Amino acid sequence: MDKKQLRSQGWFGKKGKDGFIYRAWMKNQGIPAHQLEGKPVIGICNTWSELTPCNAHFRELAESVKNGIYEAGGFPVEFPVMSLGETLMKPTAMLYRNLVSMDVEESIRANPLDGVVLLCGCDKTTPALLMGACSVNIPTIVVSGGPMLTGKYRGNDIGTSDIWNFFEDNRSGLMSDEELYVAESCLARSRGHCAVMGTASTMACMVEALGMSLAGNAAIPASDSRRKALAHLSGNRIVEMVKEHLKPSDILSRVAFDNAITVNAAIGGSTNFMIHLLAIAARIGVELNIDDFNTSERGVPLMANLQPSGKYFMEDFYYAGGLPALMKELDQHLYNETITVTGKPIAENYRNSNCYNRDVIGSIEKPFNEVAGIAVVKGNICENGAVIKPSAATSSLLKHTGKAVVFENIEDYKDKIDDPSLDVEEGDILVLKNVGPRGYPGMPEVGNMSIPKKLLDRGVRDMVRISDGRMSGTGFGTVVLHVSPEAAIGGTLAIVQNGDVITLDVQAGTINLEVTDEEIARRKAKWFAADKIAPRGYTHLYQMHVEQAHLGADFDFLKGSSGSEVVKDSH
Ligand code: FES
């Protein structure tokens, strides 16, 4: 290709003092001059960190990407960005998703890159990197790190979703502390991200369904040698994408987002999918709103028998044919001409694929559940909407009226949930306030509250639960999440009281507080915001600018793209 067309030549192709400096300092890494003379420079945006165990193998994965880039005639440069590990970060990794997206956006734009490979794994690393890259819009391809191998505990297959069961069993005396200790070494037994269809796997499926990765990216286990081969091929492909000027905005059309929503329903993907996809769409300038996620009208059934909605694990999904085999079944529901990173229609990703295990990937005629996807519910308790994952809920609770048992915040919940004097009965509805984007802050995954111990002892395993927080993609239950507006900004959730009656009707798409409008207005008039804005630092910025869940919880000033042009050049 004509090297004048390369963005990187604005640095390495420059004459005079500036060009001298740009090249000279790169050469301290032992880079020979010819590598900087007109080859596409490809950034490898790496979320490797030993504090993000799901991404701890990414240095090795980056080497495979580099081999592919060199082979195709490009020049790779690996760079770090802040990593987001779901298990260790406090108060919640979601607090930092937007910060990482800014890191990614500015790192790409500020440097001599012609294209970028995003190495994504643990939950938030995928949306954060994609959001940042969309706001620059140079050729981009995603390589996911891949799921762990299935956990094995005393002859049983286990994954992250089992943690919730283990601890309910432990609380009710069915599992000892010693057994928990043993299980701890059996669950995360290989490199990679969570092995169920949690948020990380959902995000990996999302990028493949959007067309932002090569086919097969979603499910190849992290420790399978084919993961490295896919990384190598992605390195090959990004160099070609630079030559073809194939950018995210060419791939991420409105119908690509529709495909992702359809696929998410069929895989039983995480509720977090909605919040991240809304944010990505807003970055690339595609109109998408919460009602577009109501997949019941699409007639898409649940076709992946994977935990937490089903039985199997991501490893099984890969061996059964992976996402291409599932998408082939969905063909009639997909916009199959939309292009992907290959520059070809997405149907070419799956047309020749096969399903090797119908117990893992159902057919469109014989799905695992007619109920799939995310249901959006609205009502006086959440005028802007809330979400529930019906396939992970108890079907008899999808239409339910009950008395509210209210927790004012997470501390109040922790204090009371196991208190024998808590006034709660089996048919009641647990309500948790102030765990939304601004209120917590960061919207943690606490929406699937534990069942009160006194009910657990009676064998109760599910209740309707409502909050303005999120739920781990590995969680399950009849859990209404993302209530918007959140309690901390005076949404109706803030004025729900113990004993109020709430009616949920998922099929009708409604959730209402059975209290008169006059009474709601009277309570709201007395409500005042507790001043909980952090006085300084990133948390202050976050609380001042984070949007509500139904808009994707991005910062109000980050929507859209600033392009790749560097406005000022100080050298
Ligand atoms: Fe990283 Fe589950 S903790 S994907």
Side-chain angles (χ1 to χ4, degrees):
M1 86 183 279
D2 182 352
K3 66 182 183 184
K4 284 195 205 112
Q5 295 176 323
L6 288 172
R7 184 173 178 269
S8 58
Q9 285 297 299
W11 283 258
F12 301 136
K14 258 191 150 178
K15 294 194 186 323
K17 175 171 66 71
D18 293 353
F20 178 97
I21 292 170
Y22 296 136
R23 291 183 297 272
W25 262 257
M26 286 300 278
K27 287 175 181 175
N28 87 340
Q29 300 175 80
I31 296 165
H34 72 273
Q35 292 288 5
L36 305 174
E37 290 171 359
K39 293 189 174 191
V41 178
I42 309 296
I44 302 173
C45 179
N46 203 338
T47 49
W48 168 85
S49 168
E50 289 174 347
L51 292 169
T52 306
C54 302
N55 298 15
H57 59 297
F58 280 16
R59 300 296 308 280
E60 217 179 307
L61 201 61
E63 291 306 313
S64 297
V65 176
K66 282 182 193 173
N67 290 339
I69 293 169
Y70 281 127
E71 186 179 62
F75 175 61
V77 279
E78 184 183 349
F79 65 97
V81 288
M82 183 181 176
S83 191
L84 299 176
E86 202 62 31
T87 51
L88 299 178
M89 291 189 95
K90 293 182 179 183
T92 167
M94 183 63 178
L95 179 64
Y96 305 107
R97 184 200 65 177
N98 300 344
L99 178 64
V100 174
S101 79
M102 292 166 77
D103 182 355
V104 172
E105 175 181 345
E106 303 304 331
S107 294
I108 295 173
R109 184 180 300 113
N111 283 298
L113 303 178
D114 300 303
V116 65
V117 180
L118 308 177
L119 296 190
C120 309
C122 199
D123 296 12
K124 311 297 177 295
T125 53
T126 304
L129 268 55
L130 205 45
M131 287 160 68
C134 283
S135 288
V136 188
N137 199 28
I138 64 171
T140 301
I141 193 167
V142 177
V143 176
S144 300
M148 295 174 195
L149 298 176
T150 306
K152 300 283 178 187
Y153 170 67
R154 297 192 168 168
N156 295 316
D157 289 349
I158 59 166
T160 317
S161 299
D162 289 295
I163 295 173
W164 317 118
N165 292 325
F166 288 164
F167 276 82
E168 298 294 47
D169 285 350
N170 181 254
R171 287 169 74 226
S172 57
L174 296 173
M175 190 171 185
S176 69
D177 289 352
E178 289 70 32
E179 287 171 311
L180 275 181
Y181 185 69
V182 173
E184 202 175 287
S185 303
C186 305
L187 196 142
R189 68 184 179 99
S190 79
R191 56 173 60 183
H193 59 70
C194 289
V196 299
M197 188 52 79
T199 303
S201 298
T202 298
M203 290 292 99
C205 291
M206 177 191 78
V207 293
E208 188 170 334
L210 284 169
M212 288 300 296
S213 72
L214 295 182
N217 174 68
I220 305 172
S223 49
D224 191 306
S225 56
R226 287 164 286 189
R227 174 61 60 185
K228 283 191 186 171
L230 181 123
H232 184 117
L233 293 171
S234 302
N236 286 163
R237 182 58 202 151
I238 188 66
V239 177
E240 298 307 313
M241 287 174 72
V242 171
K243 292 176 184 168
E244 294 163 15
H245 307 290
L246 185 59
K247 303 183 296 302
S249 58
D250 301 318
I251 297 165
L252 294 173
S253 60
R254 170 58 209 241
V255 295
F257 283 87
D258 274 317
N259 282 347
I261 292 170
T262 298
V263 167
N264 191 61
I267 61 174
S270 159
T271 45
N272 287 320
F273 166 80
M274 188 185 86
I275 214 159
H276 298 318
L277 199 74
L278 284 165
I280 294 163
R283 295 295 187 100
I284 204 74
V286 165
E287 290 276 336
L288 199 65
N289 70 61
I290 185 172
D291 297 318
D292 296 318
F293 290 77
N294 235 335
T295 36
S296 55
E297 296 122 35
R298 293 175 189 237
V300 179
L302 180 70
M303 290 169 53
N305 189 10
L306 301 172
Q307 285 199 17
S309 298
K311 177 177 166 192
Y312 293 101
F313 297 86
M314 289 302 287
E315 195 183 342
D316 307 305
F317 187 42
Y318 178 57
Y319 304 146
L323 199 65
L326 184 138
M327 288 178 74
K328 187 177 183 182
E329 282 296 320
L330 277 180
D331 185 58
Q332 63 183 285
H333 294 280
L334 297 173
Y335 294 95
N336 45 32
E337 291 301 317
T338 184
I339 65 162
T340 76
V341 287
T342 62
K344 297 180 183 143
I346 196 161
E348 293 202 12
N349 280 5
Y350 58 78
R351 197 160 271 151
N352 297 320
S353 63
N354 290 306
C355 174
Y356 303 105
N357 188 343
R358 281 288 171 216
D359 201 31
V360 178
I361 301 173
S363 64
I364 198 81
E365 296 81 22
K366 213 169 160 204
F368 298 109
N369 194 338
E370 291 299 338
V371 180
I374 294 169
V376 176
V377 289
K378 288 187 177 171
N380 63 0
I381 202 168
C382 53
E383 293 91 335
N384 296 329
V387 303
I388 182 169
K389 185 174 171 182
S391 63
T394 302
S395 52
S396 59
L397 288 174
L398 292 174
K399 186 170 184 181
H400 182 76
T401 297
K403 178 170 68 72
V405 176
V406 176
F407 306 101
E408 292 297 327
N409 49 47
I410 193 72
E411 293 79 19
D412 189 34
Y413 156 75
K414 285 182 179 168
D415 282 350
K416 292 178 180 165
I417 194 69
D418 283 342
D419 186 337
S421 67
L422 180 68
D423 182 12
V424 62
E425 292 302 327
E426 182 173 351
D428 291 348
I429 294 179
L430 305 182
V431 176
L432 175 58
K433 305 177 184 176
N434 292 305
V435 290
R438 181 158 162 176
Y440 191 75
M443 209 182 174
E445 294 180 334
V446 294
N448 54 328
M449 292 164 259
S450 297
I451 304 298
K453 181 148 180 359
K454 63 197 269 189
L455 298 183
L456 203 59
D457 291 344
R458 284 188 231 152
V460 177
R461 287 296 166 130
D462 195 11
M463 297 173 77
V464 175
R465 289 159 269 180
I466 302 171
S467 77
D468 45 12
R470 296 179 301 118
M471 171 172 80
S472 164
T474 63
F476 49 85
T478 313
V479 186
V480 178
L481 303 150
H482 307 187
V483 164
S484 174
E486 64 175 299
I489 63 167
T492 305
L493 188 70
I495 55 88
V496 178
Q497 297 177 355
N498 279 320
D500 284 348
V501 173
I502 296 173
T503 296
L504 169 70
D505 187 340
V506 174
Q507 198 176 7
T510 58
I511 183 165
N512 281 297
L513 184 65
E514 307 291 348
V515 168
T516 62
D517 292 347
E518 294 71 31
E519 175 62 11
I520 290 174
R522 192 186 66 76
R523 291 187 198 173
K524 280 192 174 176
K526 284 193 191 162
W527 180 86
F528 58 91
D531 188 14
K532 282 194 185 159
I533 301 294
R536 65 165 300 281
Y538 171 70
T539 308
H540 177 84
L541 176 84
Y542 182 93
Q543 288 182 296
M544 296 306 287
H545 291 283
V546 71
E547 294 194 314
Q548 289 294 286
H550 73 285
L551 298 173
D554 200 359
F555 291 155
D556 49 12
F557 61 87
L558 286 178
K559 283 189 173 161
S561 164
S562 303
S564 63
E565 197 182 338
V566 183
V567 182
K568 293 199 171 161
D569 186 343
S570 63
H571 285 295

